[in-house]
Amino acid sequence: MANFNFLRRLAPALATAGMTAAMMFGMSVTGYAATAELIDSVNISLSYELSNGMGKSDVDVNCDSEGVGDCTVSSISNNSYGKKPKVIIKLKREDNDYAFKVSGTSLQKSDVTISGDDGTVSKVSCTASTATITVTLPKIGSDSAALEISDVNWGDNDDGVVEWEQADDAEKYEVKLLRGSSTKENITTTSTSYNFRSAIRANGTGTYRVKVRAVAGTYKGDWYESDDFEVDSDMLSDLGGKSSGSSSYSGGSSSSSNPTSGGSDGGAWLRDTNGWWYCNANRSYTTNNWQQINGYWYFFDEYGYLKTGWLKSPFSNKWYYLNPSGSPDVLGRMLTNQWVDNGKYYVNADGIWDGQTH
């Protein structure tokens, strides 16, 4: 019993000693945290070159402010033409003797200085060990010279090929072929040249020119224009066509028979078990291309057979309607200025379906 009473008297003393030790330990922890030096300002040195699609490796950052250890680019977004890139920069404290945030005190935007290349601090967030800083850069594409095109020309061979100089930051080019004031072909290419021979053959004689502009992302540069390319009957013939009669794209032979009425060039419509085709006077025939016969346009497939009905041009990607019925010289004609396919769709003066429907 005596031992029990002794322990009962000893318990309050032990509890009091434990509480005192705990309080002392807590005070030492609090005191330790309070000794961390607050990083209340930083200077970030920034270096970059604006370009379409720029990445993390295109941005250099450095911070020599006291207490800051690592300084790295975490990510970059909004990095296409016409936009202002956002660069996320991560700072880490040098060691536990420093802190970005203590007891509600935190680094603010006004506490961050950017030196070197231009940048605006748009957001700051912190923990004790790290700071995340968002810096907004100037708009990509503010320098119009990056999409500037020079020397758009027809070349020296009079073969329908247009060439132009590479724009520094171009991803692709939009190119228009015009005859007079009318656009005859629209294409997009990643090359710095394009052959309009087939389109010129299809559209005949006239004065042609080309307009080119560079494209990067959603940003489009200015249009640059070639000089005029005069196509007379002789030039059209050199390109493989004639302003009237027929034009031949490639040669070939056939065992077909039963010739029908021919063109003014002395050619003839022929038919075999696979369909109609046109034999030129020199016994050649057109494949995978347009051919003008007696003033009307027809399209022949890769084997030289006449196409009918709807056709998506392999040159312009536009839709045309080729007469699906009638005699050989009427069958397959490109129809213009009328409602076609049972009056459902309208094709314009160039034979192109312009989107109108009934």
Side-chain angles (χ1 to χ4, degrees):
M1 178 66 69
N3 289 338
F4 175 77
N5 290 331
F6 172 77
L7 291 174
R8 187 172 57 181
R9 290 195 301 270
L10 183 61
L14 291 173
T16 301
M19 292 176 62
T20 302
M23 290 175 64
M24 291 178 63
F25 178 78
M27 289 176 62
S28 66
V29 171
T30 304
Y32 175 79
T35 62
E37 184 175 347
L38 182 65
I39 303 172
D40 57 4
S41 66
V42 294
N43 177 60
I44 297 175
S45 175
L46 182 65
S47 176
Y48 57 83
E49 184 172 346
L50 288 175
S51 62
N52 185 48
M54 62 189 296
K56 293 192 301 181
S57 60
D58 298 315
V59 182
D60 291 325
V61 292
N62 183 53
C63 181
D64 57 4
S65 299
E66 184 180 357
V68 177
D70 292 339
C71 177
T72 58
V73 175
S74 174
S75 65
I76 182 170
S77 60
N78 234 35
N79 55 344
S80 60
Y81 258 86
K83 296 183 178 180
K84 295 181 179 182
K86 294 187 179 297
V87 179
I88 308 297
I89 300 171
K90 293 282 189 181
L91 304 181
K92 292 185 178 181
R93 63 184 177 183
E94 186 175 350
D95 52 42
N96 292 339
D97 291 335
Y98 297 92
F100 290 104
K101 182 178 182 179
V102 176
S103 301
T105 302
S106 183
L107 200 67
Q108 304 295 314
K109 290 192 293 184
S110 58
D111 300 324
V112 181
T113 302
I114 302 296
S115 61
D117 291 341
D118 290 341
T120 302
V121 179
S122 52
K123 185 178 179 181
V124 176
S125 61
C126 294
T127 66
S129 60
T130 62
T132 302
I133 300 171
T134 303
V135 177
T136 301
L137 307 186
K139 182 173 70 174
I140 299 175
S142 57
D143 181 8
S144 59
L147 293 182
E148 184 176 314
I149 297 171
S150 61
D151 195 25
V152 182
N153 66 83
W154 286 96
D156 300 324
N157 298 323
D158 291 337
D159 56 0
V161 176
V162 176
E163 301 172 339
W164 55 91
E165 295 293 328
Q166 170 78 37
D168 290 342
D169 291 337
E171 293 178 348
K172 58 186 177 182
Y173 301 90
E174 293 179 352
V175 189
K176 291 183 178 182
L177 174 70
L178 297 94
R179 186 182 66 183
S181 60
S182 177
T183 300
K184 296 300 181 183
E185 193 92 32
N186 280 300
I187 66 102
T188 300
T189 179
T190 56
S191 177
T192 55
S193 66
Y194 191 80
N195 191 340
F196 281 108
R197 180 176 180 176
S198 295
I200 293 173
R201 273 203 307 249
N203 287 282
T205 58
T207 301
Y208 290 86
R209 57 195 171 90
V210 166
K211 297 173 71 174
V212 184
R213 70 178 174 186
V215 179
T218 59
Y219 190 88
K220 297 182 179 182
D222 296 329
W223 286 105
Y224 294 85
E225 195 168 308
S226 73
D227 53 356
D228 290 343
F229 183 42
E230 299 289 346
V231 178
D232 56 17
S233 295
D234 291 337
M235 176 66 73
L236 191 61
S237 179
D238 290 341
L239 292 172
K242 295 180 180 179
S243 57
S244 63
S246 66
S247 62
S248 175
Y249 178 70
S250 63
S253 61
S254 174
S255 59
S256 58
S257 56
N258 301 322
T260 63
S261 57
S264 59
D265 65 341
W269 285 102
L270 302 170
R271 186 180 187 183
D272 60 21
T273 56
N274 294 307
W276 288 98
W277 59 286
Y278 190 79
C279 181
N280 298 301
N282 63 358
R283 296 187 179 277
S284 66
Y285 58 88
T286 297
T287 60
N288 200 32
N289 207 344
W290 294 97
Q291 179 170 338
Q292 191 182 56
I293 304 171
N294 291 338
Y296 296 98
W297 287 104
Y298 303 84
F299 194 93
F300 297 88
D301 68 17
E302 60 184 321
Y303 302 107
Y305 290 103
L306 180 68
K307 294 281 289 183
T308 62
W310 284 107
L311 169 75
K312 188 176 185 180
S313 171
F315 310 111
S316 66
N317 288 324
K318 297 184 183 299
W319 286 97
Y320 298 81
Y321 194 72
L322 311 177
N323 199 345
S325 61
S327 59
D329 57 338
V330 174
L331 181 68
R333 279 185 186 178
M334 183 186 77
L335 301 182
T336 61
N337 289 325
Q338 59 185 286
W339 291 93
V340 299
D341 196 2
N342 296 317
K344 296 178 182 177
Y345 308 93
Y346 190 83
V347 290
N348 64 21
D350 293 318
I352 299 169
W353 174 49
D354 61 4
Q356 291 190 63
T357 60
H358 266 168

